[in-house]
Amino acid sequence: MPGNSNLTDSRNAKADEFYTPLSMIENELKHYKNHFKGKTVLCNCDDPRVSNFFRYFVMYFDVLELKKVIATCYKNDDADLFSQENVEKAVYLEYDGTIKYTGEEDFAKIPCKELKGNGDFRSQECVEFLKEADIVVTNPPFSLFKEYIPFLFKYNKKFLVIGNINNITYNAIIPLIKENKMWCGINDGHFWFQVPPHYEEKKTDFKIENGIKYRRMGNICWYTNLEISRTHEILETGKRFASEKYERYENYDAIHIEAVTDIPMDYDGAMGVPVTFFTKYNPEQFKVLGLTDSTDCSPEVEKVRIPNTFRGRGMINGKQKYARILIQKIGK
């Protein structure tokens, strides 16, 4: 998909500056209102002056009944949206509601403070902010996602962050999903992000509006460990199992599922489903066995793990299939 190719380009070129629209933040955060009362929120991958995450929490500070919001940036001491990372300094903003928000001009009244270091979220200075915070909400760099999530768990933090659905296949992430320590949020799909002026123009998934460049990224989802109702919803596709309708892998005992909507609700065996399954995943309805190309060798995965001779992929009619998540229904 174009979205996947864009993400691959981003990783290869370390092009991590995809700035989240306010509407995208509002559409997701409206489902989490009860989590924020009396809490301190940290946005630790943002350019504070123009970050829509920081803007959201200032605008809705009283509605959410927040205690404080903190935003830090990396190698940027300017109010420009996109850091060129050409300085070793960085800044941060703190907002506690003392300056009442009544309009856009009020953002300029919030004091901009200088960090001692470059604002790297892993620096000790920023770790102190993390320790102070109750919830982290941000769009972390695509290239650092598999490092960023374990970092938040190291400090036992609640979070709501943006990533690509395929990030689940990282060895650092899939165990957290299997153990129900984190899950996908409410919204997912293709979303437009603002990008810096120097980013390459593309024939697809690219546009310029009022002189501003945008790229659309595919398979984007929110990740969280905040309790939401979606993880308790029962998936019902209306499909029933028939042996002639579902192909079976040749190198282990499971059926191959092309789309989440094709999952048979009356099948009790192992199934290989696309990673987008996790946007519908209810851990009370299904258990995750592993990945068809995973190096995960935990006991419950070993019995269905693909032999290395097949390079970790399921085989049908002698041909490899795309990587799949192995799942099985719980109970009847």
Side-chain angles (χ1 to χ4, degrees):
M1 298 179 66
N4 288 339
S5 64
N6 283 348
L7 178 62
T8 301
D9 292 343
S10 173
R11 287 173 179 160
N12 292 340
K14 293 294 187 290
D16 288 332
E17 291 184 278
F18 289 80
Y19 278 72
T20 315
L22 182 61
S23 60
M24 182 179 173
I25 297 170
E26 290 175 326
N27 287 339
E28 183 73 20
L29 269 291
K30 65 184 181 182
H31 299 282
Y32 302 80
K33 181 179 181 297
N34 294 336
H35 289 288
F36 289 98
K37 184 176 181 179
K39 299 297 175 49
T40 294
V41 174
L42 174 64
C43 309
N44 60 352
C45 297
D46 298 72
D47 285 331
R49 278 295 187 202
V50 285
S51 163
N52 282 322
F53 284 99
F54 184 73
R55 176 173 272 96
Y56 173 86
F57 287 114
V58 171
M59 291 170 59
Y60 294 96
F61 192 88
D62 291 335
V63 174
L64 295 172
E65 300 181 71
L66 289 170
K67 177 182 179 181
K68 184 193 292 187
V69 56
I70 306 168
T72 63
C73 67
Y74 177 63
K75 288 188 175 182
N76 189 13
D77 59 358
D78 195 356
D80 180 52
L81 176 59
F82 300 106
S83 168
Q84 298 301 308
E85 299 180 7
N86 54 5
V87 295
E88 290 302 320
K89 295 181 179 180
V91 297
Y92 72 101
L93 296 179
E94 287 184 299
Y95 181 74
D96 61 4
T98 301
I99 300 173
K100 293 300 180 182
Y101 171 79
T102 58
E104 192 68 19
E105 66 281 357
D106 292 319
F107 285 110
K109 300 176 183 178
I110 302 172
C112 192
K113 304 176 182 178
E114 190 173 296
L115 291 167
K116 296 178 181 178
N118 64 11
D120 189 313
F121 67 83
R122 296 159 294 192
S123 67
Q124 188 56 48
E125 186 177 22
C126 291
V127 167
E128 292 304 315
F129 286 130
L130 182 64
K131 291 178 180 178
E132 179 183 353
D134 300 294
I135 305 174
V136 178
V137 185
T138 191
N139 182 356
F142 289 141
S143 63
L144 293 177
F145 191 88
K146 61 183 176 183
E147 179 179 349
Y148 185 77
I149 294 299
F151 175 79
L152 296 183
F153 274 99
K154 176 182 177 181
Y155 290 95
N156 195 31
K157 292 301 167 181
K158 295 295 183 180
F159 60 85
L160 178 62
V161 302
I162 295 172
N164 189 280
I165 188 68
N166 293 303
N167 291 341
I168 289 177
T169 63
Y170 291 146
N171 288 338
I173 304 300
I174 186 66
L176 299 172
I177 298 286
K178 283 178 56 185
E179 296 166 14
N180 201 29
K181 293 182 178 179
M182 63 178 283
W183 41 86
C184 292
I186 303 295
N187 295 299
D188 60 272
H190 286 63
F191 296 97
W192 289 98
F193 295 86
Q194 186 178 346
V195 296
H198 66 272
Y199 272 33
E200 177 189 358
E201 297 184 13
K202 290 182 171 290
K203 293 182 180 179
T204 60
D205 295 310
F206 176 85
K207 65 181 180 180
I208 299 178
E209 293 183 351
N210 299 320
I212 298 174
K213 288 184 176 181
Y214 295 88
R215 282 195 193 176
R216 186 172 66 170
M217 302 297 288
N219 288 340
I220 296 297
C221 70
W222 293 80
Y223 289 96
T224 188
N225 56 357
L226 296 169
E227 179 67 24
I228 52 176
S229 61
R230 188 203 58 72
T231 59
H232 302 288
E233 295 173 356
I234 298 297
L235 174 66
E236 178 54 71
T237 65
K239 299 294 176 64
R240 298 294 178 260
F241 178 74
S243 58
E244 68 275 10
K245 292 181 179 180
Y246 293 91
E247 295 181 302
R248 189 173 293 274
Y249 295 116
E250 297 164 359
N251 49 336
Y252 71 106
D253 187 19
I255 59 173
H256 178 77
I257 308 295
E258 283 291 339
V260 174
T261 53
D262 294 327
I263 295 176
M265 306 314 299
D266 59 345
Y267 187 74
D268 295 328
M271 297 176 277
V273 300
V275 70
T276 50
F277 162 78
F278 283 112
T279 64
K280 308 295 182 185
Y281 174 48
N282 177 349
E284 299 164 359
Q285 185 182 12
F286 295 96
K287 62 180 176 180
V288 177
L289 303 174
L291 292 169
T292 59
D293 60 353
S294 176
T295 56
D296 189 337
C297 294
S298 57
E300 70 271 23
V301 175
E302 185 65 29
K303 61 184 178 182
V304 294
R305 191 165 64 93
I306 306 301
N308 290 334
T309 54
F310 294 100
R311 289 184 290 177
R313 296 293 178 88
M315 305 286 290
I316 295 178
N317 295 327
K319 296 182 179 181
Q320 291 186 18
K321 287 290 186 179
Y322 287 117
R324 283 293 186 266
I325 305 296
L326 297 174
I327 66 167
Q328 191 169 17
K329 283 188 64 180
I330 295 175
K332 294 185 178 181

